[in-house]
Amino acid sequence: FVLAVFVSKVKRGDNKQNRTDLAADTIRNYMVSAHRYLQLILGRNIDILDRHHGGKRDRYHPMLAQQISDRRRWYKPSEKKEPYTVDMFLALKRWLDRAPDPKSCFLGKFHCVYDWSRLGVFTGFRIGEYGQSTLRKGERYRRIPCDADVPLELRGMPIAMIAGDFEFFDKDFIRIPHSQLYSRHQRGEVLWLEIRWRYDKSPHNFVKKKFRVTGHPIFCPVDAAVSIIHRKTLLGVPVFEPIGVWSERSASYRFVSSSDVTEVMRASCDMAYPDPGHYMRLHRNQIVPHSNRVTAAVCLQRGGASNDDIAFKLRWHLTSVPTYLRDCFQAIGPILERAITGAMKMTFSSS
C-alpha cells in the first residue's frame, strides 16, 4: 500500500523532475528504487509481486501494475527534437553581417551561438560539452567533481571545452599556436582542427577527432573553431576556463548557456521562415541545443550512413539513433547535407 501511494504521488509530479508526464518505465524505476530502499531500512524482504497470477512471467501486485499500465496505455510521447536547417543558418548569417558594430556583434551572444552551432553540426556536441545548463548556486560553470575516482589533474576542471581541447594544424600537420591562429587562418594556412573530449557521456573519455577545412563560408568546422578561439582571446578568458563565452556592451564575458542557444536558434527559425504556418514555425519549441546532434544524424543518414556509422561518428549509443531520426524535419537543405557528409568522410578518430 505504501508503494502504491508513492507511485501515485510520483505520477502527479512529486518526483525529481517535478514532472507529471513521466513515461511508464521511468515510474517503474522510481517504484523499484523505493522498494529496494524500504527493504534496506526495514531489514526484511517485501514482496511486490502478484502471487495469484498464473502466467509464466512475474507480474507486480495489481495496485502497482495498474498504475504503470495506465500510464503506458495513455502516455503521449514528447515531440521529437527538430534539426537546424540551412535556411536558419543563412538567415542568421545575413542578420550578423548587417550588424552596425561588427566587433560588438562578433563578441555577442548571437555570433557565439552561431559559431558553436555551425561547429556542432559536425561534432554532434551536447550542450554540456561547450555550454552550461543547470548550475548549482554560486557556480559560474560546471566542474569535474573532486572525487577519488577522478584523476588528480582533472579535479575541479571545467566539464565544458577549454582552449587546450582545440588544436590546429597546417598542411604539414605542424601544430599552430593559438597566438598565431587568427592571422594564419586569414592567410589560409590552417587546414586541420583536432578536438579532444576530456569528458564524454559515452564510456570513452579523451576521444580525439580531426576535422579538415571545407572552405564553405558557413559550414566549415575549422573556421568556426578559429572564430571561437579568437573570441575567447579578445575577451581575455583564462586558459582553464570554458571557451564558450560571449559579451554584451563591453561587459565582462558570460558563459553560453542552453537558454542562449535555444533563444538564438529559435530566432533564426523565425527569420528563415516568416510564415507562422511553416512546419518549422509550428514545431519551433522542438528547436533546442540537442538539435545539433539531430542535424548531424539526419545529414549522415541522407548521405547513406548506417545507424552504426552514425552512432560511432556522433558518440551515441546505437539504440538512440532511430529515436532521434524518427518523425523529424528532413528538408534541412542539400548544402548542409553535402558539407557534413563530406567532412565526416575526412574525419579521423583516436582515443
Side-chain angles (χ1 to χ4, degrees):
F1 176 76
V2 172
L3 277 175
V5 173
F6 173 77
V7 170
S8 178
K9 294 185 71 173
V10 167
K11 290 175 67 175
R12 292 199 301 268
D14 190 1
N15 54 66
K16 188 175 180 180
Q17 298 100 321
N18 295 319
R19 288 173 50 185
T20 59
D21 61 344
L22 296 179
D25 286 342
T26 305
I27 294 169
R28 182 183 59 81
N29 291 339
Y30 269 98
M31 181 191 72
V32 170
S33 298
H35 175 233
R36 291 172 179 168
Y37 176 73
L38 283 176
Q39 290 188 127
L40 179 64
I41 62 172
L42 295 176
R44 63 185 180 86
N45 181 58
I46 300 174
D47 193 0
I48 60 172
L49 298 178
D50 182 4
R51 295 303 174 185
H52 299 290
H53 174 61
K56 293 182 180 180
R57 297 179 60 183
D58 289 335
R59 289 181 59 177
Y60 292 120
H61 189 282
M63 293 179 67
L64 302 171
Q66 187 66 44
Q67 295 200 65
I68 296 173
S69 64
D70 284 348
R71 176 54 58 92
R72 181 171 283 113
R73 182 180 298 112
W74 301 109
Y75 177 70
K76 180 183 177 183
S78 57
E79 293 191 64
K80 301 302 175 187
K81 298 174 179 67
E82 296 295 342
Y84 302 146
T85 70
V86 67
D87 292 329
M88 290 168 59
F89 282 106
L90 289 170
L92 184 52
K93 187 176 190 304
R94 284 194 296 269
W95 186 88
L96 294 170
D97 289 344
R98 291 197 298 264
D101 184 349
K103 182 178 180 181
S104 294
C105 176
F106 177 75
L107 297 178
K109 181 198 306 184
F110 273 61
H111 212 303
C112 171
V113 172
Y114 167 73
D115 287 331
W116 281 103
S117 297
R118 66 192 179 111
L119 176 58
V121 295
F122 293 94
T123 63
F125 279 140
R126 299 176 177 90
I127 182 63
E129 292 168 351
Y130 68 92
Q132 312 302 317
S133 50
T134 305
L135 293 175
R136 299 182 180 92
K137 187 175 181 180
E139 276 189 329
R140 295 175 61 233
Y141 52 84
R142 297 298 305 273
R143 297 175 182 267
I144 297 172
C146 296
D147 295 340
D149 295 325
V150 179
L152 189 62
E153 67 273 15
L154 294 179
R155 296 176 191 176
M157 291 281 288
I159 290 178
M161 297 281 176
I162 59 175
D165 295 324
F166 282 31
E167 289 198 329
F168 300 83
F169 300 87
D170 64 13
K171 63 181 177 61
D172 298 316
F173 277 94
I174 305 299
R175 187 169 63 89
I176 300 173
H178 285 186
S179 58
Q180 303 174 14
L181 187 61
Y182 185 72
S183 59
R184 293 191 62 179
H185 179 59
Q186 296 294 98
R187 298 196 296 269
E189 297 174 2
V190 185
L191 264 68
W192 290 95
L193 160 69
E194 181 179 76
I195 299 180
R196 174 184 62 176
W197 277 262
R198 285 174 295 112
Y199 168 77
D200 191 10
K201 194 175 178 181
S202 78
H204 308 293
N205 292 337
F206 289 89
V207 168
K208 294 182 179 181
K209 289 182 179 287
K210 292 182 178 67
F211 302 87
R212 197 183 192 286
V213 69
T214 66
H216 193 277
I218 298 177
F219 303 116
C220 177
V222 173
D223 183 69
V226 170
S227 186
I228 287 165
I229 295 297
H230 188 51
R231 180 178 298 104
K232 84 89 189 169
T233 301
L234 292 176
L235 293 175
V237 178
V239 66
F240 289 119
E241 285 197 357
I243 54 176
V245 292
W246 59 276
S247 178
E248 190 173 48
R249 301 185 185 91
S250 301
S252 177
Y253 60 84
R254 306 178 187 182
F255 298 107
V256 67
S257 67
S258 56
S259 59
D260 293 335
V261 178
T262 300
E263 175 193 345
V264 172
M265 296 313 292
R266 288 181 183 176
S268 72
C269 176
D270 296 342
M271 293 183 235
Y273 308 107
D275 188 335
H278 189 278
Y279 176 93
M280 290 298 290
R281 288 289 298 274
L282 295 174
H283 294 83
R284 184 180 185 273
N285 288 343
Q286 277 62 62
I287 299 171
V288 294
H290 217 63
S291 295
N292 259 336
R293 294 170 69 71
V294 180
T295 307
V298 172
C299 288
L300 289 171
Q301 183 195 49
R302 292 175 68 85
S306 67
N307 284 1
D308 291 283
D309 290 335
I310 295 171
F312 172 74
K313 291 181 181 295
L314 299 181
R315 301 165 291 111
W316 273 355
H317 192 281
L318 180 60
T319 58
S320 299
V321 177
T323 300
Y324 283 106
L325 291 176
R326 188 176 66 242
D327 297 335
C328 67
F329 190 62
Q330 298 286 314
I332 56 178
I335 297 173
L336 183 51
E337 288 177 29
R338 286 196 298 269
I340 294 177
T341 53
M344 287 299 186
K345 291 176 183 177
M346 298 185 288
T347 299
F348 301 92
S349 300
S350 61
S351 303

